[in-house]
Coordinates of all heavy atoms in Angstrom, one line a residue:
M952 N 11.0 -6.8 3.9 CA 11.3 -6.0 5.0 C 11.4 -6.8 6.3 O 10.6 -7.7 6.5 CB 10.1 -4.9 5.2 CG 10.6 -3.7 5.9 SD 9.2 -2.4 6.1 CE 8.5 -2.4 4.5
K953 N 12.4 -6.5 7.1 CA 12.6 -7.3 8.3 C 11.5 -6.9 9.3 O 11.1 -5.8 9.4 CB 14.0 -7.0 8.9 CG 15.2 -7.6 8.1 CD 16.5 -7.3 8.9 CE 17.6 -7.9 8.1 NZ 18.9 -7.7 8.8
I954 N 11.2 -7.9 10.1 CA 10.1 -7.7 11.1 C 10.5 -6.6 12.1 O 9.6 -5.8 12.5 CB 9.8 -9.0 11.9 CG1 8.6 -8.8 12.8 CG2 11.0 -9.5 12.7 CD1 7.3 -8.6 12.1
E955 N 11.8 -6.5 12.4 CA 12.2 -5.4 13.3 C 12.0 -4.0 12.7 O 11.6 -3.1 13.4 CB 13.8 -5.5 13.6 CG 14.1 -6.7 14.4 CD 14.3 -8.0 13.6 OE1 14.1 -7.9 12.3 OE2 14.8 -9.0 14.1
T956 N 12.2 -3.9 11.4 CA 11.9 -2.7 10.7 C 10.4 -2.4 10.6 O 10.0 -1.2 10.9 CB 12.4 -2.8 9.2 OG1 13.8 -3.1 9.3 CG2 12.2 -1.5 8.5
V957 N 9.6 -3.4 10.4 CA 8.2 -3.2 10.3 C 7.6 -2.7 11.7 O 6.9 -1.8 11.7 CB 7.5 -4.6 9.9 CG1 6.0 -4.5 10.1 CG2 7.8 -5.0 8.5
L958 N 8.0 -3.4 12.7 CA 7.5 -3.1 14.1 C 8.0 -1.7 14.5 O 7.3 -0.9 15.1 CB 8.0 -4.1 15.1 CG 7.3 -5.5 14.9 CD1 7.8 -6.5 15.9 CD2 5.8 -5.4 15.0
A959 N 9.3 -1.3 14.1 CA 9.8 0.0 14.4 C 9.0 1.1 13.7 O 8.7 2.1 14.3 CB 11.3 0.1 14.1
Q960 N 8.6 0.8 12.5 CA 7.8 1.8 11.7 C 6.4 2.0 12.4 O 5.9 3.1 12.5 CB 7.6 1.3 10.3 CG 8.8 1.6 9.4 CD 8.5 1.3 7.9 OE1 9.5 1.3 7.1 NE2 7.3 1.1 7.5
I961 N 5.8 0.8 12.8 CA 4.5 0.9 13.4 C 4.6 1.6 14.7 O 3.7 2.5 15.0 CB 3.9 -0.5 13.5 CG1 3.7 -1.1 12.2 CG2 2.7 -0.5 14.4 CD1 3.4 -2.6 12.2
F962 N 5.6 1.3 15.5 CA 5.7 2.0 16.8 C 5.9 3.5 16.6 O 5.4 4.3 17.4 CB 6.7 1.4 17.7 CG 6.4 0.0 18.3 CD1 7.3 -1.0 18.2 CD2 5.1 -0.2 18.8 CE1 6.9 -2.3 18.8 CE2 4.7 -1.4 19.3 CZ 5.6 -2.5 19.3
S963 N 6.7 3.8 15.7 CA 7.0 5.2 15.4 C 5.7 6.0 14.9 O 5.4 7.1 15.3 CB 8.1 5.3 14.3 OG 8.2 6.7 13.9
E964 N 4.9 5.3 14.1 CA 3.7 5.9 13.6 C 2.7 6.0 14.8 O 1.9 7.0 14.8 CB 3.1 5.0 12.5 CG 1.7 5.4 12.1 CD 1.6 6.8 11.6 OE1 2.6 7.4 11.2 OE2 0.4 7.4 11.6
I965 N 2.6 5.0 15.7 CA 1.7 5.2 16.8 C 2.1 6.4 17.6 O 1.2 7.2 18.0 CB 1.7 3.9 17.7 CG1 1.1 2.7 17.0 CG2 1.0 4.1 19.0 CD1 1.4 1.4 17.6
D966 N 3.4 6.6 17.9 CA 3.8 7.7 18.7 C 3.5 9.0 18.0 O 3.0 10.0 18.6 CB 5.4 7.6 18.8 CG 5.9 8.7 19.8 OD1 5.4 8.8 20.9 OD2 6.8 9.4 19.4
R967 N 3.7 9.1 16.6 CA 3.4 10.3 15.9 C 1.9 10.6 15.9 O 1.5 11.7 16.1 CB 3.9 10.1 14.4 CG 3.8 11.3 13.5 CD 3.9 11.0 12.0 NE 2.7 10.3 11.5 CZ 1.6 10.9 11.1 NH1 1.5 12.2 11.2 NH2 0.6 10.2 10.7
A968 N 1.1 9.5 15.7 CA -0.3 9.7 15.6 C -0.9 10.1 16.9 O -1.8 10.9 17.0 CB -1.0 8.4 15.1
E969 N -0.4 9.6 18.0 CA -0.9 9.9 19.3 C -0.6 11.3 19.7 O -1.4 12.0 20.5 CB -0.4 8.9 20.4 CG -1.1 7.6 20.3 CD -0.6 6.6 21.3 OE1 0.6 6.7 21.9 OE2 -1.3 5.6 21.6
K970 N 0.5 11.9 19.2 CA 0.8 13.3 19.5 C 0.0 14.2 18.6 O -0.5 15.2 19.0 CB 2.3 13.5 19.2 CG 3.2 12.9 20.3 CD 4.7 13.1 20.0 CE 5.5 12.6 21.2 NZ 6.8 12.0 20.8
L971 N -0.2 13.8 17.3 CA -0.9 14.6 16.3 C -2.4 14.6 16.6 O -3.1 15.6 16.5 CB -0.6 14.1 14.9 CG -1.0 15.0 13.7 CD1 -0.4 16.4 13.8 CD2 -0.7 14.3 12.4
H972 N -2.9 13.4 16.9 CA -4.3 13.2 17.2 C -4.5 12.5 18.5 O -4.8 11.3 18.6 CB -5.0 12.3 16.1 CG -4.7 12.8 14.7 ND1 -5.3 14.0 14.2 CD2 -4.0 12.4 13.7 CE1 -4.9 14.2 12.9 NE2 -4.1 13.2 12.6
P973 N -4.3 13.2 19.6 CA -4.4 12.6 20.9 C -5.8 12.1 21.3 O -5.9 11.1 22.2 CB -3.9 13.7 21.9 CG -4.1 15.0 21.2 CD -4.0 14.7 19.7
D974 N -6.8 12.7 20.8 CA -8.2 12.2 21.1 C -8.6 11.1 20.2 O -8.8 11.2 19.0 CB -9.2 13.4 20.9 CG -8.9 14.5 21.9 OD1 -8.4 14.2 23.0 OD2 -9.1 15.7 21.5
W975 N -8.7 9.9 20.9 CA -9.2 8.7 20.2 C -10.7 8.6 20.4 O -11.1 8.8 21.6 CB -8.4 7.5 20.7 CG -8.7 6.2 20.0 CD1 -9.5 5.2 20.5 CD2 -8.3 5.8 18.7 NE1 -9.5 4.2 19.6 CE2 -8.8 4.5 18.5 CE3 -7.5 6.4 17.7 CZ2 -8.6 3.8 17.3 CZ3 -7.3 5.6 16.5 CH2 -7.9 4.4 16.3
P976 N -11.5 8.2 19.4 CA -12.9 8.0 19.7 C -13.2 7.1 20.9 O -12.4 6.2 21.2 CB -13.4 7.5 18.4 CG -12.4 7.7 17.4 CD -11.1 7.8 18.1
T977 N -14.3 7.4 21.6 CA -14.6 6.6 22.7 C -15.5 5.4 22.4 O -15.7 4.5 23.2 CB -15.3 7.5 23.8 OG1 -16.4 8.1 23.2 CG2 -14.3 8.5 24.3
D978 N -16.2 5.4 21.3 CA -17.1 4.3 21.0 C -16.5 3.4 19.9 O -15.8 3.9 19.0 CB -18.5 4.9 20.5 CG -18.4 5.6 19.2 OD1 -17.8 6.7 19.2 OD2 -18.8 5.1 18.2
P979 N -16.8 2.1 20.0 CA -16.2 1.2 19.1 C -16.5 1.4 17.6 O -15.6 1.1 16.8 CB -16.7 -0.2 19.6 CG -17.2 0.0 20.9 CD -17.6 1.5 21.0
I980 N -17.6 1.9 17.3 CA -18.0 2.1 15.9 C -17.0 3.1 15.3 O -16.5 2.9 14.2 CB -19.4 2.5 15.7 CG1 -20.4 1.5 16.3 CG2 -19.7 2.8 14.2 CD1 -20.4 0.2 15.6
H981 N -16.8 4.2 16.0 CA -16.0 5.3 15.4 C -14.5 4.9 15.5 O -13.7 5.2 14.6 CB -16.2 6.6 16.1 CG -17.5 7.3 15.7 ND1 -18.6 7.1 16.4 CD2 -17.7 8.1 14.7 CE1 -19.6 7.7 15.8 NE2 -19.1 8.4 14.8
Q982 N -14.1 4.1 16.5 CA -12.8 3.5 16.5 C -12.5 2.6 15.3 O -11.5 2.7 14.7 CB -12.6 2.7 17.8 CG -12.6 3.6 19.1 CD -12.7 2.8 20.3 OE1 -12.7 1.5 20.3 NE2 -12.7 3.4 21.5
A983 N -13.5 1.8 15.1 CA -13.3 0.8 13.9 C -13.3 1.6 12.6 O -12.6 1.2 11.7 CB -14.5 -0.2 13.9
A984 N -14.1 2.7 12.6 CA -14.1 3.5 11.3 C -12.7 4.1 11.0 O -12.3 4.2 9.9 CB -15.1 4.6 11.5
V985 N -12.0 4.5 12.1 CA -10.6 5.0 11.8 C -9.7 3.9 11.2 O -9.0 4.2 10.3 CB -10.0 5.5 13.2 CG1 -8.6 6.0 13.0 CG2 -10.8 6.7 13.7
V986 N -9.8 2.7 11.8 CA -9.0 1.6 11.2 C -9.4 1.3 9.8 O -8.6 1.1 8.9 CB -9.2 0.3 12.1 CG1 -8.3 -0.8 11.5 CG2 -8.8 0.6 13.6
T987 N -10.7 1.3 9.6 CA -11.2 1.0 8.2 C -10.9 2.1 7.2 O -10.6 1.7 6.0 CB -12.8 0.8 8.3 OG1 -13.1 -0.2 9.3 CG2 -13.4 0.4 7.0
E988 N -10.9 3.3 7.6 CA -10.5 4.4 6.7 C -9.0 4.2 6.3 O -8.7 4.3 5.1 CB -10.6 5.7 7.4 CG -10.1 6.9 6.6 CD -10.2 8.2 7.3 OE1 -10.5 8.3 8.5 OE2 -9.8 9.2 6.7
E989 N -8.2 3.8 7.2 CA -6.8 3.5 6.8 C -6.7 2.3 5.9 O -5.9 2.3 5.0 CB -5.9 3.4 8.1 CG -5.7 4.7 8.9 CD -5.1 5.8 8.1 OE1 -4.5 5.6 7.0 OE2 -5.2 7.0 8.5
A990 N -7.5 1.3 6.2 CA -7.4 0.1 5.3 C -7.9 0.5 3.9 O -7.4 -0.1 2.9 CB -8.3 -1.0 5.9
G991 N -8.9 1.4 3.8 CA -9.3 1.8 2.5 C -8.2 2.6 1.8 O -8.1 2.4 0.6
E992 N -7.5 3.4 2.5 CA -6.3 4.1 1.9 C -5.3 3.1 1.4 O -4.6 3.3 0.4 CB -5.7 5.1 2.9 CG -6.7 6.3 3.1 CD -6.2 7.2 4.2 OE1 -5.1 7.1 4.7 OE2 -6.9 8.2 4.4
L993 N -5.1 2.0 2.2 CA -4.1 1.0 1.8 C -4.6 0.3 0.4 O -3.8 0.1 -0.5 CB -4.0 -0.1 2.8 CG -3.2 -1.4 2.5 CD1 -1.8 -1.0 2.0 CD2 -3.2 -2.3 3.6
L994 N -5.9 0.0 0.4 CA -6.5 -0.5 -0.9 C -6.3 0.4 -2.0 O -5.9 0.0 -3.1 CB -7.9 -0.9 -0.7 CG -8.7 -1.4 -1.9 CD1 -8.0 -2.7 -2.4 CD2 -10.1 -1.7 -1.6
Q995 N -6.6 1.7 -1.8 CA -6.4 2.7 -2.9 C -4.9 2.8 -3.3 O -4.6 2.9 -4.5 CB -6.9 4.1 -2.4 CG -6.8 5.2 -3.5 CD -7.8 4.9 -4.6 OE1 -9.0 4.8 -4.4 NE2 -7.2 4.6 -5.8
A996 N -4.0 2.8 -2.3 CA -2.6 2.9 -2.7 C -2.2 1.6 -3.5 O -1.4 1.7 -4.4 CB -1.8 3.0 -1.4
S997 N -2.7 0.5 -3.1 CA -2.4 -0.8 -3.9 C -3.0 -0.7 -5.3 O -2.3 -1.2 -6.2 CB -2.9 -2.0 -3.1 OG -2.4 -2.0 -1.8
L998 N -4.2 -0.2 -5.4 CA -4.8 0.0 -6.8 C -4.0 0.9 -7.6 O -3.7 0.7 -8.8 CB -6.2 0.5 -6.6 CG -7.3 -0.5 -6.2 CD1 -8.6 0.2 -5.8 CD2 -7.5 -1.6 -7.2
N999 N -3.6 2.0 -7.0 CA -2.7 3.0 -7.7 C -1.4 2.4 -8.1 O -1.0 2.6 -9.3 CB -2.5 4.2 -6.8 CG -3.7 5.1 -6.6 OD1 -4.7 4.9 -7.3 ND2 -3.6 5.9 -5.6
R1000 N -0.8 1.6 -7.3 CA 0.5 0.9 -7.6 C 0.2 0.0 -8.8 O 1.0 -0.1 -9.7 CB 1.0 0.2 -6.4 CG 2.1 -0.8 -6.6 CD 3.4 -0.1 -6.8 NE 4.5 -1.1 -6.8 CZ 5.7 -0.9 -7.2 NH1 6.0 0.3 -7.6 NH2 6.6 -1.9 -7.2
D1001 N -0.9 -0.8 -8.7 CA -1.2 -1.8 -9.8 C -1.4 -1.1 -11.1 O -1.1 -1.6 -12.2 CB -2.5 -2.5 -9.4 CG -2.7 -3.7 -10.3 OD1 -1.8 -4.6 -10.5 OD2 -3.8 -3.7 -11.0
E1002 N -1.9 0.1 -11.1 CA -2.1 0.9 -12.3 C -1.0 1.9 -12.7 O -1.2 2.8 -13.5 CB -3.5 1.7 -12.2 CG -4.7 0.7 -12.0 CD -6.0 1.5 -11.7 OE1 -5.9 2.7 -11.5 OE2 -7.0 0.8 -11.5
Q1003 N 0.1 1.6 -12.0 CA 1.3 2.5 -12.3 C 1.1 3.9 -12.0 O 1.7 4.8 -12.6 CB 1.9 2.3 -13.7 CG 2.6 1.0 -13.9 CD 1.7 -0.2 -14.3 OE1 0.8 0.0 -15.1 NE2 1.9 -1.3 -13.7
K1004 N 0.2 4.2 -11.0 CA -0.1 5.6 -10.6 C 0.4 5.9 -9.2 O 0.1 7.0 -8.7 CB -1.6 5.9 -10.8 CG -2.1 5.8 -12.2 CD -3.5 6.3 -12.4 CE -4.5 5.4 -11.7 NZ -5.9 5.7 -11.9
G1005 N 1.0 4.9 -8.6 CA 1.4 5.0 -7.2 C 2.7 4.3 -6.9 O 3.2 3.6 -7.8
T1006 N 3.2 4.5 -5.7 CA 4.5 3.9 -5.4 C 4.3 2.8 -4.3 O 3.4 2.8 -3.5 CB 5.4 5.0 -4.8 OG1 4.8 5.5 -3.6 CG2 5.6 6.1 -5.9
K1007 N 5.3 1.9 -4.3 CA 5.4 0.9 -3.2 C 5.5 1.7 -1.8 O 4.9 1.2 -0.9 CB 6.6 0.0 -3.4 CG 6.7 -1.1 -2.4 CD 8.0 -1.8 -2.5 CE 8.1 -2.7 -3.7 NZ 9.3 -3.5 -3.8
R1008 N 6.2 2.8 -1.8 CA 6.4 3.5 -0.6 C 5.0 4.0 0.0 O 4.8 3.9 1.2 CB 7.3 4.8 -0.8 CG 7.5 5.6 0.4 CD 8.4 5.0 1.4 NE 8.3 5.8 2.7 CZ 8.3 5.2 3.9 NH1 8.3 3.9 4.0 NH2 8.2 5.9 4.9
Q1009 N 4.1 4.4 -0.9 CA 2.8 4.8 -0.4 C 2.0 3.6 0.1 O 1.3 3.8 1.1 CB 2.0 5.5 -1.6 CG 0.8 6.3 -1.1 CD 1.2 7.4 -0.1 OE1 2.2 8.1 -0.3 NE2 0.5 7.6 1.0
M1010 N 2.2 2.4 -0.5 CA 1.5 1.3 0.1 C 2.0 1.0 1.5 O 1.3 0.6 2.4 CB 1.7 0.0 -0.8 CG 1.0 0.1 -2.1 SD 1.0 -1.5 -2.9 CE 2.7 -1.9 -3.0
I1011 N 3.4 1.1 1.6 CA 4.0 0.8 2.9 C 3.5 1.8 4.0 O 3.1 1.4 5.1 CB 5.5 0.8 2.8 CG1 6.0 -0.3 2.0 CG2 6.2 0.9 4.2 CD1 7.5 -0.3 1.6
I1012 N 3.4 3.1 3.6 CA 2.9 4.1 4.5 C 1.5 3.7 5.0 O 1.1 3.8 6.2 CB 2.9 5.5 3.8 CG1 4.4 6.0 3.7 CG2 2.1 6.5 4.6 CD1 4.6 7.2 2.8
E1013 N 0.6 3.4 4.0 CA -0.8 3.1 4.4 C -0.9 1.8 5.2 O -1.8 1.7 6.1 CB -1.7 3.1 3.1 CG -1.7 4.5 2.4 CD -2.1 5.7 3.3 OE1 -2.7 5.5 4.4 OE2 -1.8 6.8 2.9
A1014 N -0.1 0.8 4.9 CA -0.2 -0.4 5.7 C 0.3 -0.1 7.1 O -0.3 -0.7 8.1 CB 0.7 -1.5 5.0
T1015 N 1.3 0.8 7.2 CA 1.7 1.2 8.6 C 0.6 1.9 9.3 O 0.4 1.7 10.5 CB 3.0 2.0 8.4 OG1 4.0 1.3 7.7 CG2 3.6 2.4 9.8
H1016 N 0.0 2.8 8.6 CA -1.2 3.5 9.2 C -2.2 2.5 9.7 O -2.8 2.7 10.8 CB -1.8 4.5 8.3 CG -1.0 5.7 7.9 ND1 -1.3 6.6 7.0 CD2 0.2 6.1 8.4 CE1 -0.4 7.6 6.9 NE2 0.5 7.3 7.8
T1017 N -2.5 1.5 8.9 CA -3.6 0.6 9.2 C -3.2 -0.2 10.4 O -4.0 -0.4 11.4 CB -3.8 -0.4 8.0 OG1 -4.1 0.4 6.8 CG2 -4.9 -1.4 8.3
A1018 N -1.9 -0.7 10.5 CA -1.5 -1.4 11.7 C -1.5 -0.6 12.9 O -1.9 -1.0 14.0 CB -0.1 -2.0 11.4
A1019 N -1.0 0.7 12.8 CA -1.0 1.6 13.9 C -2.4 1.9 14.5 O -2.6 1.9 15.7 CB -0.3 2.9 13.5
T1020 N -3.3 2.1 13.6 CA -4.7 2.4 14.1 C -5.3 1.1 14.7 O -6.1 1.2 15.7 CB -5.6 2.9 13.0 OG1 -5.6 2.1 11.8 CG2 -5.2 4.3 12.6
A1021 N -5.0 -0.1 14.1 CA -5.5 -1.3 14.7 C -5.0 -1.5 16.1 O -5.7 -1.9 17.1 CB -5.2 -2.5 13.8
I1022 N -3.7 -1.1 16.3 CA -3.1 -1.2 17.7 C -3.7 -0.2 18.6 O -4.0 -0.5 19.8 CB -1.6 -1.1 17.6 CG1 -1.0 -2.4 16.9 CG2 -0.9 -0.9 18.9 CD1 0.5 -2.3 16.5
R1023 N -4.0 1.0 18.1 CA -4.6 2.0 18.9 C -6.0 1.5 19.3 O -6.5 1.7 20.5 CB -4.7 3.4 18.2 CG -3.4 4.1 18.2 CD -3.5 5.5 17.7 NE -4.0 6.4 18.8 CZ -4.3 7.7 18.6 NH1 -4.1 8.3 17.4 NH2 -4.7 8.5 19.6
F1024 N -6.7 0.9 18.4 CA -8.0 0.3 18.7 C -7.9 -0.7 19.9 O -8.7 -0.6 20.9 CB -8.5 -0.4 17.5 CG -9.9 -1.1 17.6 CD1 -11.0 -0.4 17.2 CD2 -10.0 -2.3 18.2 CE1 -12.3 -1.0 17.3 CE2 -11.3 -2.9 18.3 CZ -12.4 -2.2 17.9
L1025 N -6.9 -1.5 19.8 CA -6.7 -2.5 20.9 C -6.3 -1.9 22.2 O -6.7 -2.3 23.3 CB -5.7 -3.6 20.5 CG -6.2 -4.5 19.3 CD1 -5.0 -5.3 18.8 CD2 -7.3 -5.4 19.8
K1026 N -5.4 -0.9 22.1 CA -4.9 -0.2 23.3 C -6.0 0.5 24.1 O -6.0 0.6 25.3 CB -3.9 0.9 22.9 CG -2.5 0.5 22.7 CD -1.6 1.6 22.4 CE -1.4 2.6 23.6 NZ -0.6 3.8 23.3
N1027 N -7.1 1.0 23.3 CA -8.1 1.8 23.9 C -9.4 1.0 24.3 O -10.4 1.6 24.7 CB -8.4 2.9 23.0 CG -7.4 4.0 23.0 OD1 -7.3 4.8 23.9 ND2 -6.4 3.9 22.1
I1028 N -9.3 -0.3 24.1 CA -10.5 -1.1 24.5 C -10.6 -1.0 26.0 O -9.7 -1.3 26.8 CB -10.4 -2.6 24.1 CG1 -10.6 -2.7 22.5 CG2 -11.3 -3.5 24.8 CD1 -10.4 -4.1 22.0
E1029 N -11.8 -0.6 26.5 CA -12.0 -0.5 27.9 C -12.0 -1.8 28.6 O -12.7 -2.8 28.2 CB -13.3 0.3 28.2 CG -13.3 1.7 27.7 CD -12.4 2.5 28.6 OE1 -12.1 2.2 29.7 OE2 -11.8 3.5 28.0
E1030 N -11.3 -1.9 29.7 CA -11.2 -3.1 30.5 C -12.6 -3.5 31.0 O -12.9 -4.7 31.2 CB -10.2 -3.0 31.6 CG -8.8 -2.8 31.2 CD -8.2 -4.0 30.5 OE1 -8.6 -5.1 30.8 OE2 -7.4 -3.8 29.6
S1031 N -13.4 -2.5 31.2 CA -14.7 -2.7 31.8 C -15.8 -3.3 30.8 O -16.8 -3.7 31.2 CB -15.3 -1.5 32.4 OG -15.4 -0.5 31.4
E1032 N -15.4 -3.2 29.5 CA -16.4 -3.7 28.5 C -16.6 -5.2 28.7 O -15.7 -5.9 29.1 CB -15.9 -3.4 27.1 CG -16.2 -1.9 26.7 CD -15.9 -1.7 25.2 OE1 -16.2 -2.6 24.4 OE2 -15.5 -0.6 24.9
N1033 N -17.8 -5.6 28.3 CA -18.1 -7.1 28.3 C -17.2 -7.8 27.3 O -17.1 -7.4 26.2 CB -19.5 -7.4 28.1 CG -20.4 -6.8 29.2 OD1 -20.0 -6.7 30.3 ND2 -21.6 -6.5 28.8
H1034 N -16.6 -8.9 27.7 CA -15.9 -9.7 26.8 C -16.7 -11.0 26.6 O -17.0 -11.7 27.5 CB -14.5 -10.1 27.4 CG -13.6 -8.9 27.5 ND1 -13.0 -8.3 26.4 CD2 -13.3 -8.1 28.6 CE1 -12.3 -7.3 26.9 NE2 -12.5 -7.1 28.1
E1035 N -17.1 -11.2 25.4 CA -18.0 -12.3 25.1 C -17.3 -13.5 24.5 O -16.2 -13.4 24.1 CB -19.1 -11.9 24.1 CG -19.9 -10.7 24.7 CD -20.7 -10.0 23.6 OE1 -20.8 -10.5 22.4 OE2 -21.3 -8.9 23.9
Ligands
MG1241 MG1 -3.3 6.9 5.8

């Protein structure tokens, strides 16, 4: 997949997700949990694909969700938080 396609899919997913779920958690643990949930879905989709029970398309969807949530995590980091 071309990088332009990958990034377009991720930006589209961020836009969709921000409209569908505008409230992003305010604490880092719950923010990270959202990213981790999507990463878990990516792993499940990959396992399903490996066992001929899933599709490449489903892996792509979950990888896009994972990237989009990681970017939302970064977008929402408070500037006032301590940077160590
Ligand atoms: Mg997902």
